[in-house]
Amino acid sequence: MDMRLVYFVLFVIIAFALAMCTLESTRTTKSIGKSVGLLEFSLIPPVIGNAIFVFSSYKLVSIIGYYIYIIGMDIVMAMLVNFTNYYCGGRRDSKRKPTVMYFILSADIVQILLNVVFGHAFDVQYLEFDGKPYYKLIPHFGCTLHRIVDYTILACVILIFALIASKTTRVFRERYTVIILALVIICLWRVFYIWSKQSVDRSMIGYGIFGILVFYLAVYYRPLRLLDKMLSRIASRIPDSIFVYDPNGKPIWINEPAKALTGVNEDTLELVVERLTDMFGKRDDDKTDWSEDRVIGTGDEALYYSLEMHSVMDEKNHLMGSFLYVRDHTEEKLKLKRELYNLNHDNLTGLYTQPYLYEKIRERLDNDKEKEYFLVFLDVKNFKIVNDIFNSAFGDFALCRIAEWIKENMTEDCLYGRIAGDTFGMLVPSDDFDADKIEEDLSNFKVTDGNVEHQLHIYLGVNAVSKSDTDVSVLFDRAHFAISSVTDEYNTHIAFYDDKLREKVMWDQKISSYLHEAIETMQIRPYLQPITDNGGNVVGAEALARWIHPEYGFMPPVKFIPLFENNGMIVDVDKHMWRCACRLLSEWKGKHDDLFISVNISPMDFYYINVVSEISKLVKEYDIEPKKLRLEITETVMMNDADNRMRILEEFRKQGFIVEMDDFGSGYSSLNLLKDMPVDVLKIDMKFLSDSTENEKPMKILKNIIKLSEELEIISLTEGVETKQQYQQLSEMGCKLFQGYYFSKPVPEDEFEEYLKKSV
Ligand code: C2E
Ligand code: CA
Ligand code: CA
């Protein structure tokens, strides 16, 4: 057989294979593809060079073959360096180009090419091989140099691969080892050829195979063992349970959560199926892929799972196995439940929030049209005091106690919740409403946290509803409104919204709609009640509102002031009264120059208008000395935003107004406020004191208040003086000013003038 032809064919096949590898490498998306492709491609010329000189019988052709081969090998080395640099060279950005290597190799190429001129590198020798002429390579100095360069580089590459291999993990080491081994074998093969002085160099076959190997390892090879390990690590670490079955449904692997879920371990794997059936029940159908949700247990103990079974097929669609995926949703479900609960439940008392309560009540009233219900509004009287006197923690505690009481007294058919602050709402089937028991409970509702004890005054407004389409908030407003009808605050705690109240609501609406007209037409006008000093001289008057209605006749303030204080319209009444007082004062100029008029400022005014600018505008308009217009303010003004209110009073005094504290003694913290409140006059109401039957104690209290005000340099004024005796007693105590029926009732302006004339 012609060996040279065999080698030729072999080299051509290798060259072809390398060309294919080159194409494939450039097609791959892997970033290493380019450097592999270059290496593959660079191997083609030396292989072709080999094919040429192994088969050629012509000297020149053989020489060209040798040139292609030798120079080609330099390019192969350059590409090998490039590949090694890419393959072993850490991360891309930190890579340095092996420029020195490229330079040496380029120099070698030049040196070899110069062989054409100097003949220093190699020559060819004619011999007969298989009976045909063959030109064998005779290496000179230049060729030896070339070999030294190539082998040094090869050795370096091997060294680099060895170094990397020693550092890398076991799974990757195998691919490096294969490359090293291939390179070493090629080296030995070449060395053998050079030394044995055989006529045909076959080591190029090794390079060719090496090229194909590199292509496979770099582009196709995946460390399966690594993937395997990593996937099983990942699977065992995820929080959900995974069960892997063989095609017969026998469990072959489960992860840690799955072990925890079923309580089996590696040795008792076969129990898995049984345990899962115990937990989740048996499935009826025999579908291979399915998913479903399961709830185990009920109520707060319930556990929520989702199950997914997937089968795994091979390329030929044969079942390879299956896996079950079990996810525990309990936490998520609980979180969702909690969120929903928080949304609908007041976080202090745990009762329904107002919107949710209203929604529930609406639903009930719409769905249950037969039953008669009581809609109950619960309010605590002066709850603010609880927060003020104790602290807000005690206030919260008290609210929780109320919530508890509500819960204890409600039946299953009741709905209840917290409306806002200290108000609660309930819907109770009228048959379940035990008024006697509630009255009894509320007559003595004490709250104690172990240290302090406080009695709460709780009132229920009840609105009977049935088949009602009226807005829940309106129904509650009516129930709330009923509370205002409680007259005996100590013995009655429940008030029903009845026809009388319904009428009152109508009445309120009616007179509210009249108000503006009443002001414009002076139906509402000031009555004046004289204020006297201890010598019996009239020094001024309090302007008190009266409504002389064309239809309903004379109306005292109780008929409209509380209503307008509730709906905010008091501001209009007061502004009107202030203007009337100013007009009077300006009319009195030159006539009653030494008289003042006191006007009332409702606490509500402070919410709606800037009282300072409003009143100072008026005195300017009527050109009145501010001290002539005295301002009566009750201490309740201080209940909210005390600092700011204090500043307002200071501002009044700075402008020359005289500020009087009205109804002193009627509130809860009069004495406390007195020390901070910037007032000039203290109006003490006899009514609050004469409530008690004995006379001695109130007088003692009065005496001390008068003494105290003297010390604080505040003028004392007693109102509600009805008898001469009271007047004398108070004068003796040192009271400076007096007002009351003993002197005169509040009277119209002309009567007041009459009174003045009489009194001088
Ligand atoms: P007040 O400011 O404490 O006014 C004193 C009230 O006591 C007046 O009742 C007066 O008629 C009454 N009074 C005077 N002397 C005696 C007496 O010797 N014995 C008794 N038992 N009562 C006496 P009135 O005029 O019915 O006013 C009631 C309340 O209505 C006033 O209490 C005041 O708070 C409010 N008010 C009256 N007019 C106005 C106003 O124009 N604006 C505002 N915001 N409130 C007003
Ligand atoms: Ca007053
Ligand atoms: Ca008063």
Side-chain angles (χ1 to χ4, degrees):
M1 197 173 34
D2 185 347
M3 275 317 282
R4 286 171 66 181
L5 185 65
V6 172
Y7 287 138
F8 177 77
V9 172
L10 198 61
F11 282 130
V12 170
I13 290 172
I14 289 172
F16 184 73
L18 287 170
M20 296 306 292
C21 291
T22 308
L23 257 168
E24 275 296 301
S25 309
T26 48
R27 258 191 228 146
T28 172
T29 47
K30 283 192 174 183
S31 57
I32 195 158
K34 204 174 140 207
S35 58
V36 174
L38 284 171
L39 180 64
E40 303 299 317
F41 188 65
S42 73
L43 278 163
I44 299 172
V47 170
I48 289 175
N50 269 263
I52 292 171
F53 65 68
V54 99
F55 197 60
S56 152
S57 302
Y58 302 98
K59 187 177 177 184
L60 187 64
V61 176
S62 298
I63 288 175
I64 290 170
Y66 283 121
Y67 272 115
I68 294 174
Y69 164 57
I70 294 171
I71 292 170
M73 277 320 283
D74 275 335
I75 297 169
V76 168
M77 285 307 142
M79 292 307 117
L80 190 60
V81 166
N82 176 48
F83 167 76
T84 310
N85 189 41
Y86 200 98
Y87 201 62
C88 309
R91 282 185 303 131
R92 200 178 248 279
D93 47 355
S94 64
K95 233 167 275 169
R96 266 177 288 141
K97 282 227 173 307
T99 324
V100 184
M101 299 275 202
Y102 295 149
F103 179 77
I104 295 170
L105 286 164
S106 308
D108 191 55
I109 291 171
V110 173
Q111 177 259 130
I112 295 292
L113 282 173
L114 286 173
N115 186 55
V116 183
V117 186
F118 302 113
H120 67 287
F122 68 88
D123 205 351
V124 291
Q125 183 191 358
Y126 172 85
L127 26 104
E128 287 235 337
F129 192 77
D130 283 350
K132 275 191 196 146
Y134 174 73
Y135 293 90
K136 182 182 185 277
L137 181 90
I138 305 296
H140 300 314
F141 165 71
C143 194
T144 312
L145 203 67
H146 162 78
R147 280 174 181 164
I148 290 171
V149 168
D150 279 14
Y151 284 97
T152 311
I153 289 174
L154 211 55
C156 286
V157 168
I158 292 172
L159 207 73
I160 289 168
F161 269 101
L163 238 130
I164 302 286
S166 71
K167 277 193 210 150
T168 190
T169 54
R170 231 184 59 209
V171 270
F172 280 111
R173 195 173 304 150
E174 66 189 24
R175 65 154 70 160
Y176 288 102
T177 315
V178 173
I179 292 178
I180 296 167
L181 267 174
L183 285 172
V184 170
I185 289 169
I186 295 166
C187 275
L188 293 176
W189 198 342
R190 288 224 60 187
V191 170
F192 165 76
Y193 158 72
I194 291 163
W195 263 324
S196 68
K197 300 213 181 331
Q198 285 215 348
S199 34
V200 180
D201 179 1
R202 276 156 293 196
S203 68
M204 204 55 227
I205 299 170
Y207 274 111
I209 293 169
F210 167 74
I212 295 162
L213 202 66
V214 163
F215 168 74
Y216 169 72
L217 289 177
V219 180
Y220 275 113
Y221 175 82
R222 267 190 202 86
L224 273 180
R225 263 197 292 159
L226 174 82
L227 210 63
D228 207 31
K229 262 200 183 148
M230 280 194 3
L231 286 179
S232 86
R233 275 288 156 83
I234 293 166
S236 63
R237 286 215 181 155
I238 59 170
D240 306 324
S241 306
I242 296 178
F243 303 82
V244 181
Y245 301 95
D246 72 2
N248 302 317
K250 214 176 125 223
I252 47 175
W253 182 85
I254 66 174
N255 68 353
E256 293 302 322
K259 284 178 196 162
L261 182 73
T262 52
V264 305
N265 56 36
E266 232 63 80
D267 305 325
T268 53
L269 260 190
E270 66 280 2
L271 293 176
V272 158
V273 180
E274 194 186 319
R275 292 277 162 88
L276 285 175
T277 314
D278 285 350
M279 284 182 79
F280 301 115
K282 214 172 162 57
R283 277 182 56 82
D284 297 335
D285 62 53
D286 48 345
K287 272 198 227 151
T288 46
D289 287 47
W290 49 264
S291 68
E292 58 186 35
D293 292 332
R294 286 291 165 90
V295 186
I296 298 178
T298 51
D300 290 345
E301 311 276 279
L303 299 169
Y304 299 83
Y305 292 98
S306 75
L307 283 72
E308 271 177 48
M309 180 65 112
H310 295 276
S311 49
V312 185
M313 302 296 184
D314 66 8
E315 309 83 71
K316 288 183 184 138
N317 221 13
H318 293 315
L319 185 68
M320 279 165 68
S322 53
F323 65 90
L324 174 69
Y325 190 86
V326 180
R327 231 170 97 90
D328 185 345
H329 288 294
T330 311
E331 259 313 304
E332 282 163 48
K333 275 270 175 1
L334 284 181
K335 204 172 146 222
L336 215 74
K337 262 189 172 175
R338 269 198 301 272
E339 273 167 14
L340 202 70
Y341 184 90
N342 287 341
L343 210 70
N344 296 334
H345 291 75
D346 171 49
N347 47 20
L348 176 67
T349 60
L351 301 186
Y352 288 163
T353 54
Q354 186 247 51
Y356 194 57
L357 176 68
Y358 283 18
E359 189 187 314
K360 284 275 191 190
I361 290 177
R362 181 75 274 154
E363 219 172 76
R364 176 74 65 86
L365 293 178
D366 288 346
N367 294 333
D368 189 0
K369 299 238 187 227
E370 295 309 307
K371 223 183 229 158
E372 168 117 3
Y373 283 102
F374 282 172
L375 195 91
V376 184
F377 188 93
L378 182 152
D379 195 7
V380 187
K381 195 185 173 196
N382 287 341
F383 186 75
K384 199 175 176 305
I385 299 175
V386 180
N387 276 331
D388 277 5
I389 298 183
F390 307 104
N391 50 43
S392 60
F394 187 80
D396 287 352
F397 178 76
L399 290 173
C400 289
R401 267 291 295 124
I402 296 170
E404 267 168 45
W405 177 80
I406 293 173
K407 265 188 246 173
E408 282 162 15
N409 284 280
M410 292 291 113
T411 57
E412 248 182 36
D413 283 341
C414 297
L415 294 169
Y416 46 93
R418 186 178 175 196
I419 292 178
D422 60 340
T423 57
F424 296 80
M426 290 149 258
L427 184 77
V428 188
S430 50
D431 295 340
D432 295 357
F433 191 80
D434 187 348
D436 292 341
K437 161 143 196 321
I438 293 173
E439 275 293 1
E440 196 191 321
D441 282 1
L442 296 185
S443 65
N444 191 17
F445 196 98
K446 290 206 170 89
V447 179
T448 175
D449 66 351
N451 298 317
V452 277
E453 188 183 74
H454 182 74
Q455 176 158 1
L456 293 179
H457 298 285
I458 297 173
Y459 295 91
L460 302 188
V462 182
N463 183 9
V465 288
S466 59
K467 304 185 191 106
S468 181
D469 292 330
T470 316
D471 226 33
V472 176
S473 64
V474 174
L475 295 175
F476 267 122
D477 283 347
R478 288 177 188 164
H480 186 186
F481 185 70
I483 294 178
S484 64
S485 69
V486 174
T487 41
D488 181 3
E489 290 185 354
Y490 292 97
N491 297 312
T492 315
H493 299 89
I494 304 172
F496 284 85
Y497 180 80
D498 52 14
D499 288 342
K500 226 171 82 200
L501 279 174
R502 219 182 303 269
E503 268 167 33
K504 177 156 172 36
V505 173
M506 305 286 272
W507 163 259
D508 285 352
Q509 280 170 354
K510 210 189 245 161
I511 63 164
S512 294
S513 66
Y514 277 157
L515 178 65
H516 288 126
E517 194 195 318
I519 287 173
E520 272 164 33
T521 57
M522 284 296 280
Q523 285 174 31
I524 293 177
R525 64 183 82 139
Y527 269 40
L528 298 171
Q529 185 174 33
I531 293 165
T532 316
D533 67 5
N534 45 12
N537 308 309
V538 178
V539 289
E542 178 176 1
L544 293 152
R546 298 289 182 267
W547 187 338
I548 322 290
H549 196 279
E551 198 178 326
Y552 311 120
F554 180 88
M555 290 201 288
V558 276
K559 285 252 180 173
F560 55 94
I561 298 277
L563 159 69
F564 293 144
E565 286 207 301
N566 256 333
N567 66 16
M569 290 170 100
I570 187 70
V571 175
D572 298 316
V573 178
D574 279 353
K575 284 203 304 201
H576 170 66
M577 289 291 291
W578 302 336
R579 181 172 283 278
C580 289
C582 287
R583 197 184 296 137
L584 272 175
L585 283 170
S586 84
E587 283 168 15
W588 286 355
K589 270 190 213 162
K591 203 157 62 164
H592 310 300
D593 276 324
D594 43 355
L595 294 187
F596 65 80
I597 296 182
S598 299
V599 290
N600 291 284
I601 302 179
S602 160
M604 295 313 284
D605 295 336
F606 290 85
Y607 283 107
Y608 295 105
I609 53 168
N610 183 336
V611 281
V612 178
S613 77
E614 202 71 42
I615 290 176
S616 49
K617 251 196 308 202
L618 273 176
V619 291
K620 273 193 201 106
E621 189 184 329
Y622 286 93
D623 190 24
I624 297 158
E625 277 178 89
K627 67 171 186 193
K628 293 271 166 65
L629 188 72
R630 296 196 174 187
L631 310 173
E632 297 196 5
I633 292 155
T634 57
E635 60 192 350
T636 43
V637 161
M638 291 296 162
M639 298 254 287
N640 289 305
D641 200 7
D643 289 345
N644 198 27
R645 301 284 156 83
M646 213 96 87
R647 239 172 283 131
I648 295 174
L649 299 195
E650 278 294 6
E651 181 59 33
F652 271 132
R653 296 180 77 205
K654 234 170 54 200
Q655 294 194 17
F657 290 99
I658 288 174
V659 177
E660 309 191 336
M661 191 196 269
D662 202 0
D663 299 347
F664 182 78
S666 67
Y668 68 95
S669 55
S670 300
L671 281 173
N672 192 25
L673 271 171
L674 197 58
K675 92 179 165 344
D676 307 311
M677 218 166 128
V679 295
D680 305 282
V681 177
L682 213 57
K683 276 191 96 162
I684 311 147
D685 198 330
M686 290 281 293
K687 271 181 289 181
F688 302 116
L689 295 159
S690 55
D691 264 354
S692 92
T693 42
E694 58 176 315
N695 206 20
E696 216 174 281
K697 246 193 201 163
M699 279 310 178
K700 269 189 189 155
I701 294 171
L702 259 178
K703 194 173 162 184
N704 281 294
I705 294 175
I706 291 166
K707 227 173 96 192
L708 181 73
S709 63
E710 218 163 88
E711 265 169 47
L712 291 170
E713 293 175 344
I714 299 174
I715 296 166
S716 48
L717 186 162
T718 319
E719 59 177 329
V721 180
E722 290 183 340
T723 61
K724 186 172 185 179
Q725 192 203 357
Q726 284 174 342
Y727 174 47
Q728 279 168 349
Q729 271 180 317
L730 290 163
S731 293
E732 278 162 28
M733 286 175 195
C735 185
K736 298 280 179 313
L737 299 172
F738 310 86
Q739 179 186 351
Y741 292 170
Y742 171 65
F743 305 99
S744 165
K745 281 168 124 188
V747 289
E749 193 193 321
D750 46 348
E751 278 183 43
F752 180 74
E753 295 266 2
E754 292 290 315
Y755 181 82
L756 280 178
K757 276 185 209 145
K758 262 196 276 165
S759 68
V760 270

